[in-house]
Amino acid sequence: MDKISIIVPCFNEEEALPLFYRRTAEVAGRIEGTETEFIFVDDGSSDHTLEILETLARQDKRVKYLSFSRNFGKEAAMYAGLSHASGDYCAILDADLQDPPELLGPMYHTVTQEGYDCCGARRTDRKGEGGLRSTLSSGFYKMMGKICKLNLSDGERDFRMMSRKMADAVLEVKEYNRYLKGIFSFVGFDTKWIEFPNAERAAGTSKWNIRSLFSYAMEGVFSFSSAPASLATAGSVLSFCAAAAVAAGSILYRITAGSWGSSLLPVILLILVLNGIQMMVLGILGQYLSRDYLESKNRPLYIIRSQAGFE
């Protein structure tokens, strides 16, 4: 009998958790020839998420949980869940039910009968999302497709089921700054996508705002592409060429007009532009250096405060 580990990152999900558990447990129970373990990862929640998980663990021996000492982020929570999973197949779902549990059955069929190592879910639309957020997300995936050697597309979710072999490969990537969608693509393996219409949260509110989404996007760019560094180099070259052109123009104006006069204005403007480009270059290089600095510290990805269900 195959064992499926269902990994669920949770951050302040007290309203959605009971709904998620009932619906997902019912779906998992209908997948023939399998047994299930639930691994909930409480990512430093400040509401009653942990108390709900403690209750579920007492009521259902399939339920296990890890509770972090603070909020380490969803990437760390997913890594922790995979690290503690014992299943032949591992599935990752969000607790807000935007990842339909009903896809678990088709996903299991795909990875066991169709020769794929992974089956992921991809949204066909962004119904219910704000226009700005949808536009920025679509633009990000287009940009990532061009500057990173990764097979990413708009609408991809973290929601997927993968073989034990692929899960172990993902765990081999132990970098501190993690962008799991990129890591899934990096490790390779054959993946099939199941498309579904966007589903709104079952309860509660989203923990993602424009600022956090932007930070997450930058994590992906700096983790899997050196294009920003190349952009900084190109900016430096262009600024040098612009400086040389303005300097030559100012000298020519001095020779023909016999006075510096207004030729100093473009020089002043150029100085301001060059200063901006210089700060941009330093900022880009600083992003790479800061990530290397954090990697060199070799800090743990997460710290567990309490857990239940693991031997």
Side-chain angles (χ1 to χ4, degrees):
M1 179 177 290
D2 289 333
K3 184 176 183 180
I4 301 175
S5 297
I6 298 178
I7 299 160
V8 190
C10 306
F11 179 60
N12 292 339
E13 294 288 0
E14 62 178 0
E15 295 181 59
L17 267 177
L19 301 173
F20 171 87
Y21 168 73
R22 287 195 297 269
R23 183 168 156 187
T24 307
E26 180 182 353
V27 170
R30 295 199 300 263
I31 304 177
E32 296 183 0
T34 68
E35 59 179 339
T36 305
E37 70 171 356
F38 291 89
I39 301 178
F40 292 92
V41 184
D42 170 32
D43 187 20
S45 298
S46 57
D47 62 0
H48 297 290
T49 293
L50 180 57
E51 288 88 336
I52 293 173
L53 296 180
E54 291 172 341
T55 300
L56 291 176
R58 288 193 297 267
Q59 296 175 348
D60 187 343
K61 65 179 181 180
R62 299 174 302 172
V63 173
K64 307 174 182 180
Y65 70 81
L66 305 168
S67 181
F68 288 171
S69 60
R70 65 169 177 83
N71 178 246
F72 284 89
K74 184 181 177 182
E75 300 293 309
M78 290 188 289
Y79 182 86
L82 287 172
S83 299
H84 288 76
S86 60
D88 304 291
Y89 300 93
C90 299
I92 300 175
L93 292 84
D94 284 350
D96 56 16
L97 288 175
Q98 287 190 290
D99 298 331
E102 288 75 17
L103 295 182
L104 287 171
M107 285 180 170
Y108 176 71
H109 181 273
T110 296
V111 295
T112 57
Q113 304 298 322
E114 298 182 22
Y116 290 93
D117 297 289
C118 178
C119 183
R122 182 163 55 202
R123 294 184 297 185
T124 56
D125 60 69
R126 293 183 176 274
K127 183 180 179 180
E129 285 191 359
L132 176 61
R133 178 170 174 172
S134 297
T135 301
L136 292 176
S137 296
S138 299
F140 166 71
Y141 282 106
K142 290 179 181 178
M143 177 186 67
M144 286 292 284
K146 293 181 178 179
I147 68 175
C148 300
K149 296 180 180 179
L150 298 173
N151 185 21
L152 298 176
S153 61
D154 188 18
E156 285 187 21
R157 302 281 294 173
D158 293 317
F159 180 25
R160 66 194 65 210
M161 184 181 293
M162 70 195 85
S163 65
R164 183 76 257 173
K165 183 185 297 184
M166 181 173 173
D168 290 340
V170 170
L171 292 173
E172 284 296 311
V173 184
K174 301 181 184 298
E175 58 199 46
Y176 183 83
N177 299 287
R178 301 181 67 78
Y179 178 67
L180 201 55
K181 285 188 178 72
I183 293 175
F184 286 141
S185 178
F186 170 79
V187 300
F189 295 96
D190 295 328
T191 300
K192 177 180 178 180
W193 294 97
I194 296 178
E195 296 186 336
F196 69 99
N198 186 48
E200 296 187 25
R201 290 181 60 92
T205 58
S206 174
K207 313 308 182 295
W208 294 90
N209 53 35
I210 297 297
R211 181 179 178 181
S212 59
L213 287 171
F214 179 78
S215 298
Y216 183 62
M218 289 302 97
E219 191 65 61
V221 171
F222 287 108
S223 295
F224 286 94
S225 176
S226 60
S230 301
L231 177 64
T233 302
S236 300
V237 173
L238 289 174
S239 64
F240 174 79
C241 293
V246 171
S250 298
I251 294 173
L252 181 61
Y253 183 89
R254 172 69 178 85
I255 294 174
T256 56
S259 171
W260 290 107
S262 61
S263 65
L264 289 176
L265 180 59
V267 175
I268 295 173
L269 293 176
L270 179 63
I271 290 174
L272 295 176
V273 171
L274 293 180
N275 182 64
I277 293 176
Q278 182 183 46
M279 297 305 295
M280 178 197 73
V281 171
L282 291 175
I284 290 174
L285 295 179
Q287 288 292 328
Y288 284 107
L289 287 174
S290 65
R291 281 160 172 74
D292 187 59
Y293 172 68
L294 291 174
E295 295 290 345
S296 67
K297 285 178 173 291
N298 199 30
R299 289 175 174 171
L301 293 175
Y302 56 86
I303 297 174
I304 296 175
R305 177 179 58 184
S306 61
Q307 64 183 53
F310 301 96
E311 297 180 358

